[in-house]
Amino acid sequence: MKRFITLILALAIICTTAFAHPFNDVASHWAEPEISAAYEKGIVEGDGTGSFRPDDNISRAEFLKIVTVLIESNFDLTVPDVENSRHWADKYYAFATSSYLYPNRELSYDGVSPAYMNLDSYDLPIKRWEMAYILDSVFANVYMAIGGGEPSINDFEAIKSTYDTSIVKSIQSLVGFEIVKGDEKGNFNAGNTGTRAEAIALGWKSSKPHAKYAPGKMLFGGIYLNEDGLLPSAPGRIWYETDINYYSGRRNGHRILFSNDGLMFVSYDHCGT
């Protein structure tokens, strides 16, 4: 199958004829540039035998980790460990659901609820509809950008008749942003499983991402954990951060920090003081 996903989030892709990776099974693969860049950034590893297996299915946990690590890298964050972890993905899931991802346990497709994961479902293959749901959550809750328009995919009517409006909106949004496209026949194939190569190709393009997808807007960093305690705390208080004085290129350290109960501060050294 030709490239299913054409753009990435938070990966700087350098397209050259020689790629720096140790894998013996990705030469001339459509996703080789993305896989190479991801390897250089420490986002992905092989299977221990020299292979990457780009066309193998990818699990829900593996996809969530890739998306979350890209956010971690792009925003200079650290995903904290969690106590009493029972799965390696616990910390990524805890971080995601506390910052940008909102599981919907009222829905269920293919035996799973959108973005709801636990020990029994982490390692299930992820379907393309859920990849779209998670990625759209990143755009909406991190970049504060929402796509729209009538998707140019041939199976959109079938998608609308099968999935909840929240799933339909996610697919519509990503197609509108040109983050995903259809296959050779122009179909999105929402019920198909995603591959390791497709997962790597999902991410943010680090070169002016918000200027491309949300022109005229600032970056919204989501929940600010206030781990150093510099901001005043109170029961039920949640802090958020957003960029200021930034329009493209490498981000500066200028931030506005605001709380859900009306407090607001400005920092010019990325919340250092």
Side-chain angles (χ1 to χ4, degrees), residues 32-228:
E32 184 177 10
E34 291 92 335
I35 294 169
S36 179
Y39 173 79
E40 289 186 39
K41 285 180 172 286
I43 304 296
V44 298
E45 299 177 351
D47 63 0
T49 68
S51 299
F52 180 76
R53 297 179 286 111
D55 297 316
D56 281 9
N57 293 340
I58 189 166
S59 72
R60 303 173 79 214
E62 290 170 329
F63 180 72
L64 180 70
K65 177 185 176 181
I66 289 172
V67 173
T68 302
V69 169
L70 289 172
I71 294 173
E72 179 184 34
S73 174
N74 203 37
F75 287 88
D76 298 323
L77 301 173
T78 299
V79 175
D81 292 328
V82 296
E83 295 182 0
N84 303 317
S85 176
R86 300 177 63 193
H87 192 283
W88 62 261
D90 281 343
K91 70 175 186 178
Y92 300 105
Y93 186 66
F95 178 88
T97 54
S98 67
S99 55
Y100 70 87
L101 189 60
Y102 301 95
N104 188 343
R105 298 186 66 178
E106 296 181 358
L107 301 176
S108 180
Y109 300 101
D110 303 308
V112 299
S113 296
Y116 175 70
M117 305 183 192
N118 56 25
L119 193 62
D120 296 325
S121 63
Y122 274 136
D123 298 317
L124 295 177
I126 193 169
K127 299 298 181 73
R128 287 176 176 156
W129 65 260
E130 191 174 26
M131 294 170 81
Y133 182 86
I134 292 173
L135 193 55
D136 183 47
S137 296
V138 174
F139 262 82
N141 299 318
V142 177
Y143 276 102
M144 303 295 283
I146 299 175
E150 190 68 17
S152 56
I153 50 176
N154 293 333
D155 58 348
F156 188 59
E157 291 300 320
I159 290 171
K160 290 196 294 185
S161 66
T162 303
Y163 296 95
D164 179 76
T165 54
S166 62
I167 306 298
V168 173
K169 180 196 74 67
S170 295
I171 296 171
Q172 184 177 10
S173 179
L174 296 192
V175 174
F177 280 137
E178 298 184 352
I179 297 300
V180 297
K181 291 185 177 180
D183 61 11
E184 303 94 334
K185 297 180 180 180
N187 295 322
F188 180 80
N189 300 312
N192 287 4
T193 54
T195 68
R196 289 167 59 83
E198 290 168 355
I200 294 304
L202 281 172
W204 281 329
K205 204 171 185 179
S206 61
S207 175
K208 304 179 183 179
H210 89 288
K212 178 176 178 61
Y213 300 117
K217 297 181 174 63
M218 290 295 175
L219 294 176
F220 177 68
I223 293 176
Y224 180 70
L225 298 179
N226 193 29
E227 294 177 322
D228 52 17

